[in-house]
Amino acid sequence: MRKELTVTNIQRMCFHDGPGIRTTVFTKGCSLHCPWCSNPENISGFLEPYEKDGKAGIYGKKYTSPQLIEILLKDRDFWEPEGGVTFSGGEPLLQADALQELLVELKELWIHTVAETALFVPETYVRMVLPYIDYFIVDVKILKDSFCREVLGGDLELYKRNVQHVYCSGKLGVFRIPCCPEYTFTEQNRELLLKFLMQYPEIPVQIFTVHSFGEKKYESLKRPVWRTKGVDRQQLLEYCAQLGEYGIKAEVIQI
């Protein structure tokens, strides 16, 4: 029986989800609960009813590999020569079983694959998909162990082991830091970020401010909305310059 991948959205013409022009598949289910998350529909791994602008619907749809490939191949002409398919979320590696099956078929079609991941998943999941993913975008968030557990629900030691697995494979393409003044952009966390990034000085870093653009989706799920002012662009540019002083190549992006 074919495994099924639970997906909330397939977004075309993406320019910040890996090399070239890409089609991004947003998977449902996450191992973390970041307060600033702008995709609350992807936190639960289950299909969820919602009501938005007076219309009811369901967040999430199950696809087999052939069903998804048929959809994705319609975009192939736009990917050349560097683009391809990116899996985001939520946390795509939580669905490693179904994802592996799909990735194998995509590689047989010579399609470039990217995973955008927080890497807070069992090491076995990483090992399952690692041979079939060409490029990893890895989030770096809270790096104090007790605070990471309290705020995100994440095991920092597991995360660091998984980062090392991906790094040793040669497929770690970029680190991505969501900058949040309350949690990730504090003075203490910036110091921890610097120490962490200096272990991987050749890996570029992308930073961006968190935002409240997901407010309507929270309301559609009848969940409370967490609001933040984010970090202004000038502060982000100054942070990039600080990282550059330590030989870390960093840029500001908009998500």
Side-chain angles (χ1 to χ4, degrees):
M1 181 179 292
R2 285 282 190 172
K3 299 180 178 70
E4 294 180 317
L5 194 70
T6 307
V7 171
T8 55
N9 190 25
I10 299 171
Q11 185 172 313
R12 296 175 165 84
M13 299 295 286
C14 298
F15 298 93
H16 291 295
D17 294 338
I21 300 172
R22 313 196 66 81
T23 300
T24 300
V25 179
F26 289 88
T27 61
K28 201 166 186 339
C30 191
S31 51
L32 303 180
H33 40 77
C34 305
W36 59 85
C37 181
S38 60
N39 293 316
E41 76 280 14
N42 291 337
I43 297 174
S44 168
F46 299 101
L47 304 186
E48 293 178 285
Y50 71 86
E51 186 174 334
K52 189 176 181 181
D53 300 324
K55 297 180 180 178
I58 299 290
Y59 282 129
K61 183 176 179 180
K62 294 182 179 294
Y63 293 89
T64 63
S65 295
Q67 289 170 333
L68 267 175
I69 287 173
E70 182 180 359
I71 295 169
L72 294 171
L73 286 180
K74 294 176 183 177
D75 296 344
R76 192 165 196 167
D77 288 345
F78 296 100
W79 300 334
E80 302 298 345
E82 297 179 333
V85 178
T86 296
F87 294 94
S88 186
E91 173 52 70
L93 272 57
L94 275 184
Q95 298 188 60
D97 247 6
L99 185 59
Q100 182 193 52
E101 183 176 293
L102 174 58
L103 288 166
V104 169
E105 296 186 34
L106 290 174
K107 297 320 296 174
E108 289 173 353
L109 294 167
W110 296 93
I111 293 172
H112 187 273
T113 56
V114 171
E116 185 177 352
T117 171
L119 285 181
F120 285 89
V121 296
E123 292 172 75
T124 52
Y125 291 8
V126 177
R127 295 183 188 279
M128 283 175 65
V129 301
L130 192 55
Y132 312 106
I133 291 175
D134 298 303
Y135 185 100
F136 282 78
I137 299 170
V138 175
D139 292 346
V140 194
K141 300 180 180 179
I142 296 172
L143 292 179
K144 183 178 179 181
D145 185 67
S146 59
F147 202 37
C148 181
R149 287 183 183 275
E150 177 187 342
V151 176
L152 308 181
D155 180 342
L156 197 57
E157 289 308 311
L158 172 64
Y159 167 78
K160 290 178 178 179
R161 291 196 301 271
N162 283 335
V163 169
Q164 193 64 19
H165 290 322
V166 175
Y167 175 73
C168 290
S169 75
K171 296 179 177 183
L172 179 46
V174 64
F175 286 120
R176 185 169 281 179
I177 304 172
C179 294
C180 172
E182 295 87 348
Y183 296 109
T184 63
F185 207 67
T186 64
E187 183 176 350
Q188 181 188 52
N189 201 61
R190 290 202 304 272
E191 290 177 2
L192 293 171
L193 284 166
L194 177 59
K195 291 178 183 178
F196 176 81
L197 295 173
M198 286 180 68
Q199 298 175 67
Y200 308 97
E202 74 277 25
I203 304 300
V205 178
Q206 296 175 339
I207 67 174
F208 62 95
T209 182
V210 300
H211 51 70
S212 301
F213 297 161
E215 185 171 330
K216 289 287 187 182
K217 290 188 280 188
Y218 278 96
E219 291 173 356
S220 74
L221 288 164
K222 296 180 172 57
R223 293 184 194 164
V225 180
W226 182 82
R227 292 181 173 87
T228 179
K229 292 182 179 179
V231 181
D232 68 49
R233 183 172 176 80
Q234 185 56 40
Q235 287 179 291
L236 295 179
L237 291 171
E238 290 171 2
Y239 185 46
C240 281
Q242 290 168 7
L243 292 175
E245 292 174 2
Y246 292 89
I248 299 166
K249 183 181 177 181
E251 66 171 334
V252 178
I253 64 170
Q254 187 169 348
I255 298 292

